Amino acid sequence: DKRITKFFSLGGQVWVKGYAEISWGLKLGGVHSIRLENSIFGRSSQSIDEKIFSYISDYSGIYFDGRSKSDLECILSNISSDFWRKDSFLVSFVKSLLDRNIQKYKDITKEISLCVAQDDVLLVGQVHGDAAVTQTLSLVGSNFELAALAVQKFPNKKIFYKPHPYGSREETIKIIEKYGFAEISPDVSFNFILKKFKSVMVNTSG
């Protein structure tokens, strides 16, 4: 199409949400695209009704695809993990984020009374089809396989299983029955429960 050719000749760029072109059945061919994903920072992190969103953009790839490099990966690979502690502004910024208890699913806010021992383990489930499984070189292909790996990695430890808020109830029941984990309700705040454990296992994207 001549219009598309002209668009790129004038410096036009294609911005794509995640790998949306795949789900839409589109092929970008040799066209370079800039990838976008939702960010947990910004005003939208504070309210589920907020209409202003923040995004992560990446010219090289996307953070959740562990099969290829991304700008974010390159940046993190070239700085020390505690670099921010040397900058007063960044220290203040990190503290402000911690004080706001930011988490991905801001509508999942339930808190519970839970007795956790020093060496207990928290196992966190993923939603079916998450990029952690579909777009990266993962050691496991499902929550059931993740549970089996947790038993192998943490023998003789009490394991608490928190399903993904939008995960499969049927799968959760099978995992609990098979391995005898203590279940934490999926509607419990991840930010809240994370602070209860020293050992956490989850299949993350990237």
Side-chain angles (χ1 to χ4, degrees), residues 22-201:
I22 297 175
S23 59
W24 294 344
L26 300 177
K27 292 184 178 180
L28 296 178
V31 175
H32 177 70
S33 57
I34 302 167
R35 303 289 172 179
L36 289 172
E37 261 300 334
N38 292 340
S39 165
I40 62 171
F41 302 132
R43 289 170 57 177
S44 60
S45 68
Q46 301 300 302
S47 169
I48 59 175
D49 298 318
E50 179 56 61
K51 304 305 180 184
I52 298 177
F53 295 89
S54 59
Y55 295 91
I56 296 173
S57 63
D58 202 302
Y59 283 71
S60 301
I62 193 67
Y63 74 90
F64 59 68
D65 189 346
R67 301 168 301 180
S68 59
K69 288 186 177 180
S70 65
D71 292 344
L72 178 61
E73 179 184 350
C74 290
I75 292 171
L76 295 177
S77 295
N78 286 285
I79 57 177
S80 61
S81 60
D82 64 344
F83 78 99
W84 58 274
R85 297 182 185 276
K86 304 168 186 176
D87 186 306
S88 59
F89 172 78
L90 291 178
V91 169
S92 176
F93 174 68
V94 171
K95 183 179 184 304
S96 71
L97 295 180
L98 292 174
D99 290 343
R100 281 185 282 168
N101 294 320
I102 291 176
Q103 61 178 20
K104 184 175 182 179
Y105 299 106
K106 43 197 168 294
D107 53 325
I108 307 297
T109 58
K110 183 177 179 181
E111 296 185 3
I112 59 174
S113 176
L114 187 68
C115 183
V116 178
Q118 186 82 359
D119 59 350
D120 287 347
V121 177
L122 174 63
L123 178 64
V124 183
Q126 272 288 10
V127 69
H128 178 72
D130 187 86
V133 176
T134 64
Q135 302 297 337
T136 194
L137 301 175
S138 176
L139 291 175
V140 296
S142 67
N143 288 324
F144 205 88
E145 291 180 14
L146 182 65
L149 186 60
V151 172
Q152 178 184 329
K153 295 287 186 181
F154 299 99
N156 305 316
K157 303 289 185 183
K158 182 175 182 180
I159 298 177
F160 288 78
Y161 180 66
K162 183 187 184 307
H164 191 282
Y166 305 112
S168 165
R169 181 59 190 165
E170 181 181 357
E171 180 187 50
T172 297
I173 293 174
K174 289 181 179 179
I175 289 173
I176 297 299
E177 290 181 346
K178 170 72 175 179
Y179 296 106
F181 296 158
E183 182 183 359
I184 296 174
S185 175
D187 63 355
V188 171
S189 162
F190 180 66
N191 183 69
F192 165 79
I193 207 66
L194 194 63
K195 297 174 182 178
K196 300 285 185 182
F197 292 84
K198 289 188 175 295
S199 298
V200 179
M201 185 171 181

